[in-house]
Amino acid sequence: MKLLLVGGPPSTGKTTVVQRIIEKRKEKYKIAYLKMDVVTAHEEALICDTYGIEAKTVYAGDLCPDHAEVMILTDALKWAEGICADLLIVESAGLCLRCSPYLNQGVGVVVLSMLAGLHSVDKMKQLICFADVAVLTMNDLVCQAEREVYIRKLKTGFEHLKVLETNALQGIAVEYLCSMVDESKELDINTLELKGNPPLGTCSICMGSKKVGWKNHYGVVRQIDSNVSDYMYRGD
Amino acid sequence: MKSHITIYAGVDKNGNKENYTKIILKLGEVVSIVGHTGSGKTLLISDIEQLSQKDSVSQRLITIDDKLPDFEERFDPEKKRIAMITQNTKCVSDLVVEEFLKIHALSRNIFEKELVEKVISLANKFTGESITGEAKVTELSGGQTRSLLFADAILIGASPIILVDEIENAGINKSEILKYVKNENKLVIFASHDPAIVLATEKRIIMKNGAIEKIIEHTDADRAVLESVLEADRVIKYVQEMLRDGLELGGGM
C-alpha cells in the first residue's frame, strides 16, 4: 500500500487537491481516504458520495490533531489494508503549525494558500520543512510580484522541497502529484516514523484542567521571559 | 525563452479541429485576443499560461522556441516565465510600496538602488491617482494596484511573457501602458473588449466558440480608427473628471 499525507492550514484547498488526485487515480488504485479533524468535517460524505470510495473521519477532540494522527495512523493503515486499499490518503487538519505530520515514507504534501501573504512562509516553517512537496493554491488571486517572492522564499528556505503552483479547481499540475505517488515505495509499517519531533506539550492544561494561573498547574510550560532550562514548572 | 512561442491547433467547443496549423507569437510583439463573452479568450490565455500540452479542454499544444516545454518550465514557478495580470490579482502582504518593490527586486537578485523610484514613477504615468513609496500596497485602489503591478512586471519582473486578462475598467491609462510595453522586448497579450487596447496592438486574435477563428494584422485603417477611439476616450475621461469634481454641465462643454 502507498501513502499520501496531505497537511496544511485550514481552508487552503487540501480537500480540493485530494479530490483532483482521486479523480486522476481512482482507476489505477483502490483508494481509502482518512480525514483527521478536530470538531467537524464534511469531507467523508463528500468523498464517499462523489467517488464511491471508502472514507473515514477521525475527530481528535481534546487531543491535538497531529498528536492524534500519530497515535491513530497504524490503526488507519490496518483499516485501509483490511479493505484491500492500495493507496491511503490521509488529510490532516493541521492547526497549530508547530507539528509536521510528515513521515519517513510515502508522499508528504503541504497545501498553502498564497492569500496568506509573504510572512506566512516564516510562520509555518515547522510544518513546511518536512513536506516533500508544497502545493500553492489561490495563486491566481495574488499579484505576480508576491508570487515570485513567495516561491523564492520557499525555494531558498527549504532546498529539498518541490514547489508546485496549481489551479486545484481546474486540476492543472495535479498529474505531477499523482506521478509522485506512483513512484513512491510501498509502506513498511514496522519502520514508519515521524520525520520531525512534535513540540513539547505535557502539562496539566493538556490533561484537561481549566483553571487559570501558575499556581494551578505543573508540567512543561513556558513562562514569559523564561529560559529553556526553566521550562519545567511545578506549580505553587 | 529566447524568441517565440508556437500555438498548434486544438479543437473548438464542439470538438472540431481549429482552422489553422500553427500560430507564432514573438518577443517584442503586443497582441490582443478579442471575442464575445464565452468565446474562449480566457481559455486561450490560460493555455498560454500553462503551456498546454494537449492536456487542456482546447487540446492545444504550445512550444517555446520550437521545443516542447519540460515539466519544470510548465509548473516550477521559478523556471516558468509567464506573468499574469487580471482584475482579480491583488497585493496581499501588509507592506508599503517601497518595501514591496525592494523585496521583489531582492528576490530577483537585483540590487539597483534607483530601481524602486523608477518603478513608482513609471506606475504614476499609468494612473491618475499618484502612488507614493510610503503607501501600503493593500490600501491602493484598483487602478493604482494594476498600474504598480504593470510597472513592476515591466521593470523588475522576470517574465518575458505578460498576459493581461480584461483590465479595462481599472482606471489606468491604457495608451501609456501600451507605449511602454512595446519597447521592452516582451510578448504582451491582452484579452480585451476595449477597442482602444485592441486597436493599439499589432495584431488581434479573434475567438469564436472556443476556437481561434482568425488573426488580423493591423492596418493603417485600424490605426486611423484608433485615433477616433482615443479621441472618444478623451471626451469620456473629460466628462468623467467633471462629474467627479462635482461640476454642473449646463451650457455645453
Side-chain angles (χ1 to χ4, degrees):
Chain A
M1 185 165 55
K2 293 175 188 292
L3 176 70
L4 172 67
L5 217 156
V6 182
S11 303
T12 52
K14 292 187 293 296
T15 308
T16 311
V17 171
V18 165
Q19 282 179 276
R20 296 296 94 84
I21 293 174
I22 293 175
E23 282 162 16
K24 284 201 182 270
R25 284 298 183 268
K26 64 178 193 293
E27 310 299 331
K28 181 169 175 142
Y29 300 112
K30 180 168 166 52
I31 301 176
Y33 168 84
L34 176 77
K35 168 80 184 180
M36 291 285 315
D37 216 312
V38 186
V39 191
T40 48
H42 59 278
E43 286 81 0
E44 179 184 328
L46 176 80
I47 299 280
C48 199
D49 296 347
T50 314
Y51 305 106
I53 65 171
E54 297 279 349
K56 213 177 174 66
T57 311
V58 177
Y59 294 114
D62 292 353
L63 197 55
C64 152
D66 286 322
H67 284 199
E69 182 201 289
V70 174
M71 313 307 270
I72 287 165
L73 200 68
T74 47
D75 302 339
L77 288 169
K78 275 181 199 137
W79 161 70
E81 259 173 9
I83 55 171
C84 302
D86 41 22
L87 170 62
L88 172 63
I89 300 178
V90 178
E91 187 185 325
S92 164
L95 285 176
C96 73
L97 306 173
R98 294 192 304 146
C99 279
S100 193
Y102 305 108
L103 300 155
N104 60 351
Q105 298 175 41
V107 179
V109 177
V110 59
V111 180
L112 301 170
S113 159
M114 283 205 156
L115 282 179
L118 293 176
H119 300 309
S120 64
V121 176
D122 303 323
K123 292 177 186 171
M124 296 189 284
K125 271 180 192 156
Q126 271 122 322
L127 172 68
I128 299 169
C129 71
F130 292 111
D132 300 308
V133 51
V135 174
L136 307 180
T137 60
M138 304 182 206
N139 44 358
D140 54 327
L141 301 178
V142 177
C143 68
Q144 188 70 24
E146 274 181 77
R147 284 161 71 168
E148 287 179 18
V149 175
Y150 193 102
I151 285 153
R152 177 80 186 188
K153 271 191 153 185
L154 280 175
K155 288 262 177 179
T156 48
F158 313 97
E159 278 176 16
H160 72 282
L161 187 74
K162 292 197 176 64
V163 180
L164 213 55
E165 257 186 314
T166 174
N167 184 329
L169 292 175
Q170 289 165 20
I172 290 159
V174 171
E175 183 57 37
Y176 182 67
L177 279 178
C178 293
S179 67
M180 285 184 79
V181 172
D182 295 341
E183 284 157 25
S184 69
K185 291 198 184 108
E186 291 287 306
L187 283 183
D188 173 9
I189 295 187
N190 298 321
T191 56
L192 199 59
E193 210 175 272
L194 283 175
K195 280 191 190 166
N197 284 97
L200 296 171
T202 321
C203 68
S204 38
I205 304 167
C206 302
M207 283 149 66
S209 164
K210 289 199 271 188
K211 286 179 181 149
V212 173
W214 292 104
K215 66 178 184 335
N216 296 313
H217 292 288
Y218 59 90
V220 185
V221 187
R222 186 165 213 168
Q223 294 168 265
I224 193 165
D225 298 329
S226 69
N227 297 314
V228 177
S229 56
D230 301 332
Y231 269 11
M232 279 300 287
Y233 185 74
R234 294 177 193 285
D236 288 347
Chain B
M1 161 149 177
K2 293 190 181 68
S3 75
H4 64 279
I5 61 169
T6 313
I7 304 171
Y8 291 88
V11 295
D12 69 10
K13 282 185 181 171
N14 305 333
N16 301 317
K17 189 99 179 143
E18 283 182 297
N19 185 23
Y20 61 92
T21 321
K22 61 178 183 180
I23 294 167
I24 294 174
L25 301 173
K26 301 194 194 83
L27 286 189
E29 280 187 322
V30 182
V31 181
S32 55
I33 302 173
V34 274
H36 292 277
T37 309
S39 61
K41 297 188 295 295
T42 299
L43 180 60
L44 178 58
I45 286 264
S46 99
D47 278 347
I48 300 172
E49 216 240 333
Q50 303 289 339
L51 297 169
S52 291
Q53 298 299 302
K54 299 189 175 175
D55 51 2
S56 73
V57 181
S58 72
Q59 297 177 33
R60 291 187 188 104
L61 176 84
I62 298 180
T63 60
I64 305 183
D65 297 334
D66 298 322
K67 282 196 271 305
L68 291 177
D70 57 24
F71 184 85
E72 270 77 25
E73 275 173 295
R74 293 188 70 192
F75 299 120
D76 182 335
E78 275 218 316
K79 301 213 172 100
K80 183 169 155 176
R81 291 291 179 242
I82 299 172
M84 180 113 154
I85 299 173
T86 75
Q87 288 281 35
N88 292 332
T89 38
K90 300 220 159 42
C91 306
V92 293
S93 287
D94 191 13
L95 294 167
V96 298
V97 171
E98 218 166 81
E99 194 70 14
F100 174 83
L101 296 172
K102 222 185 271 172
I103 289 176
H104 187 205
L106 278 180
S107 87
R108 304 256 306 108
N109 289 327
I110 307 172
F111 302 99
E112 191 189 326
K113 250 189 155 178
E114 299 79 26
L115 188 60
V116 170
E117 279 308 309
K118 270 193 209 164
V119 178
I120 295 175
S121 84
L122 181 59
N124 279 328
K125 290 197 174 113
F126 298 156
T127 174
E129 330 149 65
S130 178
I131 303 167
T132 65
E134 293 79 42
K136 287 202 164 179
V137 286
T138 45
E139 286 169 7
L140 298 178
S141 73
Q144 286 176 320
T145 305
R146 242 89 53 195
S147 301
L148 184 70
L149 295 184
F150 253 113
D152 171 87
I154 292 171
L155 294 176
I156 303 180
S159 314
I161 304 177
I162 303 178
L163 303 174
V164 188
D165 197 5
E166 299 188 25
I167 53 150
E168 31 264 32
N169 302 318
I172 53 175
N173 188 335
K174 300 156 225 165
S175 40
E176 279 294 319
I177 286 187
L178 284 158
K179 209 165 79 192
Y180 275 91
V181 293
K182 276 180 181 168
N183 302 325
E184 290 296 327
N185 198 35
K186 289 180 188 260
L187 169 59
V188 186
I189 303 173
F190 289 90
S192 183
H193 294 292
D194 185 337
I197 290 178
V198 175
L199 289 170
T201 57
E202 289 144 26
K203 54 183 165 193
R204 53 185 192 264
I205 298 173
I206 320 294
M207 302 301 298
K208 201 175 173 188
N209 195 33
I212 296 179
E213 172 91 347
K214 56 183 169 183
I215 297 180
I216 300 175
E217 302 269 347
H218 285 180
T219 61
D220 288 341
D222 286 329
R223 277 177 270 279
V225 176
L226 173 64
E227 279 315 307
S228 351
V229 169
L230 288 176
E231 187 50 45
D233 235 22
R234 275 190 285 273
V235 172
I236 290 169
K237 277 270 154 55
Y238 179 73
V239 177
Q240 187 183 45
E241 279 311 306
M242 289 176 73
L243 295 173
R244 280 172 165 176
D245 289 344
L247 298 179
E248 291 180 31
L249 302 184
M253 278 163 51

